[in-house]
């Protein structure tokens, strides 16, 4: 059973930065971040695999950077220039594939419990 544990969420002001981390219980080739705000649909944020392939949602391009430390089975999400609309629960996920992935409908096999990100104006 895959276990994913996120950390690093918190409250920041608009324009601030946060770095999310996710430790996986084992090897996962493709991983990603998804988020969900209250009353809104879940949406994919980023996808990254062990070949270095990355994909980002349009809202994340240029502001968010996903990275992996394969030796530590750890996924990161560096989020800069945060906006109030980025407020959501962020989940780490094991993703089926990042190749030609549609972030809006990214399918995941497992996800963590989430870490809350709150951005105030």
């Amino acid at each position: 059973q895959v276990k994913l544990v996120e950390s690093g969420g918190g409250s920041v002001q608009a324009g601030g930065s946060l770095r999310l981390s996710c430790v996986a219980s084992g090897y996962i080739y493709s991983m990603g971040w998804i988020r969900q705000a209250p009353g809104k649909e879940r949406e994919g944020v980023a996808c990254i695999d062990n070949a270095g392939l990355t994909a980002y949602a349009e809202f994340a391009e240029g502001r968010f950077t996903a990275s992996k430390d394969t030796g530590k089975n750890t996924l990161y999400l560096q989020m800069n220039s945060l906006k109030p609309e980025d407020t959501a629960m962020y989940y780490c996920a094991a993703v089926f594939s990042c190749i030609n992935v549609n972030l809006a409908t990214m399918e995941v096999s497992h996800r963590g419990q989430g870490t809350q990100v709150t951005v105030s104006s």
Side-chain angles (χ1 to χ4, degrees):
Q1 181 72 14
V2 173
K3 185 176 181 181
L4 301 165
V5 180
E6 304 94 336
S7 62
S11 297
V12 296
Q13 291 191 326
S17 299
L18 283 173
R19 189 191 193 206
L20 307 184
S21 299
C22 170
V23 179
S25 58
Y27 175 87
I28 303 175
Y29 187 81
S30 302
M31 297 183 72
W33 292 95
I34 55 177
R35 71 183 189 182
Q36 188 163 22
K40 295 187 177 181
E41 294 290 317
R42 186 193 82 175
E43 56 185 354
V45 178
C47 191
I48 182 170
D49 67 23
N50 283 3
L53 176 66
T54 57
Y56 295 94
E58 187 174 340
F59 63 80
E61 285 277 8
R63 298 190 300 128
F64 296 0
T65 303
S67 60
K68 290 184 79 181
D69 184 332
T70 56
K72 296 181 179 179
N73 292 327
T74 301
L75 174 70
Y76 302 99
L77 184 68
Q78 177 67 44
M79 302 187 295
N80 300 326
S81 302
L82 283 162
K83 305 175 182 179
E85 51 264 44
D86 293 320
T87 295
M89 185 71 80
Y90 284 71
Y91 300 90
C92 170
V95 180
F96 289 105
S97 177
C98 295
I99 298 173
N100 297 322
V101 66
N102 181 335
L103 272 295
T105 58
M106 183 169 68
E107 294 187 15
V108 305
S109 60
H110 299 82
R111 75 174 196 185
Q113 293 298 307
T115 185
Q116 178 68 38
V117 171
T118 302
V119 185
S120 58
S121 57

